[in-house]
Amino acid sequence: MKIDILTLFPEMFEVFNHSIMKRAQESGRLELSIVNIRDYSVNKHRKADDYPYGGGAGMVMTPQPIVDCIKNVKENNKGKVIFLGPRGERFNHEKAQELSHEESLIFLCGHYEGIDERTRKYIDEEISLGDFILTGGEMACLPIVDSISRLIPGVLGSEESFMDESFYNGLLEYPQYTRPADFEGDKVPEVLLSGHHDNIKKWRKIKSLEITKRYRKDLYDEYILTKDDIKLLKNKKKYLKD
């Protein structure tokens, strides 16, 4: 997948040069480019913002550098232009899955008091991270691009790496344990040490259902219990012995 991120602050995306995102780029599964909008400003000081007409606090990103930046990037990236802003659809795992199937994407990060309204004709879609205020679109872009990228085939070690994660199947993830088996008298559940893979799978599903119901009742209410789920919950004492 090819992703271009248009921003006034390229240095904020240095985090993508580490860990899984770095390996994804080195393997060629992800082509990530950070584009500085200021480079397209015709202002001799590379200015990309100005005071809003009508007055008010703060500055507004001017249309010229944004539009010229989009046009230039579009020459090598035909993907949809996505603006990170409050008018958009709220981002979730389903949206991440949808976008992970795209061949290319362009993300536009707003800043200050936002972008000149006339810029919006060059935007295909708007996405919001949630109903709260951030210092700029960069802060929303980081988790969104990370979430999408990890769903690209081959980016993670195996498909199971994300299939068992929270939200993949509509539920929160089951508890995880590692060595030592006994930490300060708190022991790892026996079923995880048993080597009985079917029982471990059932234990994990029961725990996932219980944790979701306890911490995210909204997700649990939307989840449709299967016949196997109902059977597991009825006989959960059999699998939850510690």
Side-chain angles (χ1 to χ4, degrees):
M1 174 184 279
K2 179 177 176 58
I3 296 179
D4 284 276
I5 299 175
L6 318 187
T7 174
L8 294 177
F9 301 96
E11 61 275 12
M12 294 183 71
F13 294 94
E14 197 275 334
V15 66
F16 286 149
N17 295 325
H18 303 277
S19 189
I20 292 174
M21 292 294 286
K22 178 182 179 181
R23 294 198 297 270
Q25 294 175 75
E26 291 177 340
S27 69
R29 292 183 172 86
L30 175 65
E31 182 182 347
L32 184 62
S33 298
I34 313 300
V35 185
N36 192 337
I37 297 172
R38 298 182 196 275
D39 291 342
Y40 294 87
S41 175
V42 296
N43 182 278
K44 64 179 181 180
H45 301 296
R46 300 175 72 217
K47 189 176 180 182
D49 62 298
D50 211 330
Y51 295 103
Y53 279 122
M59 306 290 279
V60 176
M61 291 177 66
T62 55
Q64 177 272 314
I66 295 176
V67 172
D68 284 356
C69 184
I70 291 174
K71 288 179 177 179
N72 183 268
V73 170
K74 276 284 190 178
E75 292 180 5
N76 297 301
N77 185 335
K78 304 303 181 183
K80 63 173 66 174
V81 178
I82 299 175
F83 176 59
L84 289 313
R87 301 183 192 178
E89 172 186 354
R90 187 180 296 183
F91 187 74
N92 56 26
H93 186 70
E94 286 69 34
K95 190 63 179 179
Q97 288 180 307
E98 174 190 325
L99 293 176
S100 71
H101 295 297
E102 298 283 342
E103 292 185 5
S104 54
L105 293 167
I106 300 171
F107 288 92
L108 171 61
C109 303
H111 215 84
Y112 310 123
E113 295 303 310
I115 58 174
D116 187 293
E117 190 70 18
R118 293 165 292 184
T119 307
R120 291 183 178 274
K121 66 178 70 175
Y122 296 91
I123 295 170
D124 300 302
E125 185 176 348
E126 186 167 345
I127 292 177
S128 170
L129 194 60
D131 297 333
F132 48 88
I133 300 172
L134 295 171
T135 56
E138 290 81 7
M139 303 302 290
C141 189
L142 285 163
I144 289 175
V145 170
D146 181 82
S147 179
I148 293 169
S149 299
R150 64 189 291 107
L151 296 175
I152 299 172
V155 168
L156 297 184
S158 67
E159 186 178 6
E160 187 177 4
S161 294
F162 65 79
M163 287 182 66
D164 285 339
E165 289 179 335
S166 295
F167 307 118
Y168 182 80
N169 60 1
L171 298 172
L172 296 179
E173 191 177 6
Y174 49 80
Q176 297 279 13
Y177 297 87
T178 187
R179 293 186 177 91
D182 186 333
F183 178 69
E184 297 181 343
D186 196 355
K187 299 180 179 180
V188 172
E190 288 185 10
V191 64
L192 299 180
L193 307 175
S194 68
H196 195 303
H197 297 296
D198 187 54
N199 283 351
I200 291 173
K201 182 178 180 181
K202 291 175 180 177
W203 179 90
R204 285 175 168 172
K205 186 58 179 291
I206 292 170
K207 283 296 185 180
S208 183
L209 288 164
E210 289 185 338
I211 287 173
T212 304
K213 186 176 182 179
R214 179 179 179 182
Y215 293 102
R216 287 295 303 274
K217 189 64 164 50
D218 58 322
L219 293 177
Y220 186 82
D221 290 342
E222 292 179 2
Y223 179 80
I224 300 176
L225 292 172
T226 65
K227 290 182 179 180
D228 287 338
D229 292 337
I230 295 172
K231 184 177 179 180
L232 274 177
L233 292 173
K234 285 183 178 179
N235 299 283
K236 65 180 183 180
K237 290 183 178 180
K238 176 181 177 181
Y239 304 103
L240 297 185
K241 293 180 180 179
D242 293 333

